[in-house]
Amino acid sequence: MAQHHVVIAGGGPVGLWLAAELRLGGVAVTVLEERTQIDARSKALTLHPRTLEVLAARGAQGPFLAEGLPIPAGHFGMLDQRLDFSSLDTPFPYTLALPQARTEALLQEHALGLGATVRRGHRVTGFTESAGSVTVRVTGPRGEYETEAAFLVGCDGTRSTVRTAAGIDFPGTPSTVLGWLGDVFLDRPPRPGYGRHTPRGGVMAVPLPDGRHRLVGADPGSHTTTWPGDLTLDELRRKVTAVTGDDFGMRDPSWLSRFGNATRLAAAYRRGRVLLAGDAAHQHFPAGGVGMNVGIQDAHNLGWKLAATLRGWAPDGLLDTYHAERHPVGAELAAHSRAQTALLATFTPEVADLRGLLGELIAAQPGVNRFLAERLTALGVRYPAADPAAHPLTGTRAPDLALTGTDRTLFTLVRPDAYLLLDLTAGGTLGVPSRPGLAVRAVTLARPPAAWRDVRAALIRPDGHVAWAGTGGDDAALAPAAEGVLTGRR
C-alpha cells in the first residue's frame, strides 16, 4: 500500500484539490486534517479565472459557478482604476465571489466522490523518512498512531508542521502592517465594486452570496508591530466611517479579524519524499485575493507529477520540476503582494500621487491593464522551457481552444492521467498511437488565436500547460520531436 499511497497533511482547499488530482491519477490518498469540521470563517473569498479553468479542465466547475457571484473586474493595490477582466482569453473573464467555507465543502465533496479518504480530527505531528517510504506520526481521536506512505505533502498552512519537521527554511520579512476585515450585514450597502482610498485610510466592500458584505481595509494606524487586540464591531464602524463618512448600517458580524503582511517563501518545495503546497510554501498579505488560488494551482501542478511518478510513466526527475516551476511563482506572488501592500496601506501624499499615476496608466494603456490582470489571475504564468529554441507557446497555459465540428473544447480533452497530443495536421496524419501516459487526438481548431495558427501539433500536460508545440511543413518530423519531449516528461 505505501508505495502507491500519498498522505496529505491539511484538508483545506489546497489539500483537497491535490487529493482529487491524485485519485484521478490512480493513486490512493489520505487527507489528515486537524479541524473536526470546516471553518465557517472564510479567509479566502475569491476564485480567480485560472482557478476556474483548473476546475473546468476536470469538469468540476458547475457547483462553484452555480453558487458564486461573478465580479467582472479586480483591483491592484486598491487603486481607483479597476482592472477590466472582460478582454482576457478565458471562458471565465471574472472573479467568482464564494466564501472559502463553501469552496472547501465543494472540494471535499469532489475529493470524496473520487475515492479520497479524509480524516478530520487527525493532526500530523511528525514523520520519519526511509529510502522507500515516509512513516507519518499522527494524533487522532483515539490517540497516537503511524501510517506509511510513498510521499507526504504538507498543505498545513503557514505554521506547517511538515515544513518544520522537514527542516525546510521559511525566510522572508515580518509583519509591519495589520489590515482588518469584517463580514457584516449592511442596511445601506454601497454600489458594487465600491472602494475608497483617502489620507484617513482605504476601504473596499465586497458582496457575499448570502447577502452580507466583507468590509476590508487599512488605515494609518495599521502600521504597527504591536497587536492591538481583537477587532470589534465598534472599532470597524469607526474605521469605515473615518474613511467613507458612512458605516453603511453595518450590523450582525459573523467574522471580525486582523491580518498581517508577513511575507515568506519556503526555501524548497520538495525535500526527498516530502513536498509543500499552498500556505505551507508561501505566506503573504492577502492583496487581490490570490493566496488560495495560487495554492490550488500548486496542487494542480503537483498532483499529476506525483501520480505519474507512482504509476510508473514518468521518471523521478519529474518531481524536481515542481519546485523549479512553482517556486518562481511563489516569489512573484511575494513581490506583487508587497507592491500592493505599499499602495493600499500607505497614505502619504507621495503614494497618493503614485496611485494616481498608476491609475492613469491602467486607464490609458490596455497593455498595462492586461499585464496586471494576467498576473493577478495567473493566466500569464509561464513555466521555463528546457530547450531555448522551443516554440513560444512552450510553458504557457493552453486556452480553451474551440474545435471544429464539435461543441467540445480543449478543456474537455485534457487528461488528468496522461499527456494530450493534439494532432493538428491535415487529416490527422501524425501517426503516434495512444498509450499509458499519452492520449492522442486528431482535431482541427476553430478560430485559433494568432499564437496557434502555425501549430501543427501540440503536447498538452495534464495541468493544461503546453509541453511542446511543433510547426513547419515537414509533418514527418513532428512525431519524433514530440516523442523526444515525452522522453523527458516535461
Side-chain angles (χ1 to χ4, degrees):
M1 174 65 172
Q3 62 182 330
H4 296 296
H5 179 217
V6 174
V7 167
I8 298 171
V14 177
L16 291 169
W17 186 254
L18 178 58
E21 287 293 284
L22 288 167
R23 289 301 303 135
L24 287 170
V27 172
V29 58
T30 300
V31 179
L32 302 174
E33 168 54 53
E34 182 176 4
R35 296 169 300 164
T36 58
Q37 57 187 350
I38 293 173
D39 191 345
R41 301 170 301 174
S42 294
K43 293 181 180 179
L45 183 61
T46 304
L47 291 171
H48 280 267
R50 180 54 186 161
T51 301
L52 294 174
E53 288 189 349
V54 163
L55 296 171
R58 303 297 186 249
Q61 77 277 23
F64 298 87
L65 298 178
E67 293 192 31
L69 179 66
I71 301 175
H75 80 90
F76 187 86
M78 210 182 287
L79 294 174
D80 295 337
Q81 181 65 42
R82 304 278 285 182
L83 298 178
D84 180 12
F85 291 168
S86 64
S87 64
L88 296 176
D89 182 17
T90 175
F92 312 104
Y94 49 79
T95 59
L96 197 69
L98 186 66
Q100 180 176 328
R102 281 304 297 154
T103 296
E104 197 168 314
L106 292 172
L107 290 176
Q108 178 172 270
E109 182 179 340
H110 176 62
L112 290 173
L114 292 170
T117 297
V118 179
R119 297 178 184 170
R120 290 193 170 272
H122 294 251
R123 179 171 61 90
V124 171
T125 60
F127 66 87
T128 302
E129 182 176 351
S130 65
S133 67
V134 180
T135 301
V136 184
R137 296 190 296 277
V138 188
T139 297
R142 297 183 179 179
E144 297 181 354
Y145 66 95
E146 293 183 343
T147 186
E148 192 176 9
F151 291 94
L152 169 64
V153 186
C155 302
D156 49 344
T158 58
R159 297 184 175 90
S160 171
T161 297
V162 172
R163 186 190 64 238
T164 301
I168 297 175
D169 290 339
F170 200 38
T173 54
S175 178
T176 57
V177 173
L178 287 176
W180 34 264
L181 69 81
D183 289 348
V184 295
F185 284 102
L186 301 180
D187 292 330
R188 301 181 303 279
R191 68 182 186 279
Y194 178 86
R196 186 168 174 79
H197 197 278
T198 76
R200 296 179 299 277
V203 174
M204 293 184 65
V206 182
L208 303 178
D210 65 357
R212 292 174 298 157
H213 279 71
R214 172 163 292 180
L215 297 174
V216 59
D219 56 71
S222 294
H223 288 260
T224 180
T225 56
T226 301
W227 180 252
D230 293 340
L231 185 70
T232 66
L233 181 62
D234 286 342
E235 183 183 358
L236 178 66
R237 180 178 287 112
R238 290 194 303 270
K239 290 179 178 295
V240 171
T241 302
V243 176
T244 69
D246 192 352
D247 71 354
F248 304 116
M250 69 175 71
R251 58 179 173 82
D252 301 326
S254 58
W255 189 32
L256 299 168
S257 182
R258 305 184 199 270
F259 51 90
N261 70 324
T263 305
R264 303 185 186 281
L265 181 64
Y269 280 26
R270 179 194 181 192
R271 178 159 293 172
R273 293 184 172 273
V274 178
L275 302 105
L276 305 175
D279 290 348
H282 39 75
Q283 178 183 11
H284 60 95
F285 195 72
V290 298
M292 180 185 69
N293 293 271
V294 174
I296 290 174
Q297 292 153 28
D298 288 343
H300 200 59
N301 183 287
L302 175 59
W304 71 274
K305 294 175 179 178
L306 262 180
T309 299
L310 291 171
R311 299 291 292 180
W313 58 272
D316 289 341
L318 183 66
L319 280 184
D320 292 329
T321 69
Y322 172 60
H323 172 89
E325 292 181 347
R326 294 305 296 177
H327 191 269
V329 174
E332 184 177 276
L333 169 65
H336 78 66
S337 295
R338 285 191 182 107
Q340 290 191 73
T341 303
L343 288 171
L344 66 85
T346 307
F347 306 97
T348 63
E350 292 82 2
V351 171
D353 289 341
L354 176 61
R355 290 173 55 84
L357 175 62
L358 291 175
E360 290 177 11
L361 279 173
I362 292 170
Q365 300 292 333
V368 175
N369 178 95
R370 188 177 185 88
F371 173 81
L372 290 175
E374 288 185 345
R375 173 165 289 196
L376 189 70
T377 61
L379 294 175
V381 169
R382 177 176 183 168
Y383 299 136
D387 180 3
H391 190 281
L393 286 175
T394 305
T396 65
R397 135 264 179 212
D400 194 21
L401 300 167
L403 308 177
T404 300
T406 177
D407 58 357
R408 300 189 72 180
T409 62
L410 179 61
F411 286 177
T412 67
L413 300 183
V414 173
R415 293 277 299 271
D417 59 348
Y419 283 81
L420 171 67
L421 180 57
L422 292 178
D423 182 349
L424 304 174
T425 61
T429 58
L430 202 58
V432 178
S434 294
R435 60 178 185 269
L438 177 66
V440 182
R441 295 294 298 265
V443 297
T444 303
L445 302 183
R447 306 178 305 279
W452 283 80
R453 287 174 189 160
D454 66 341
V455 175
R456 306 285 288 166
L459 192 63
I460 312 300
R461 303 177 354 169
D463 60 3
H465 281 256
V466 179
W468 166 84
T471 61
D474 184 8
D475 288 351
L478 294 175
E483 290 285 1
V485 174
L486 282 167
T487 302
R489 300 296 190 186
R490 296 294 299 274

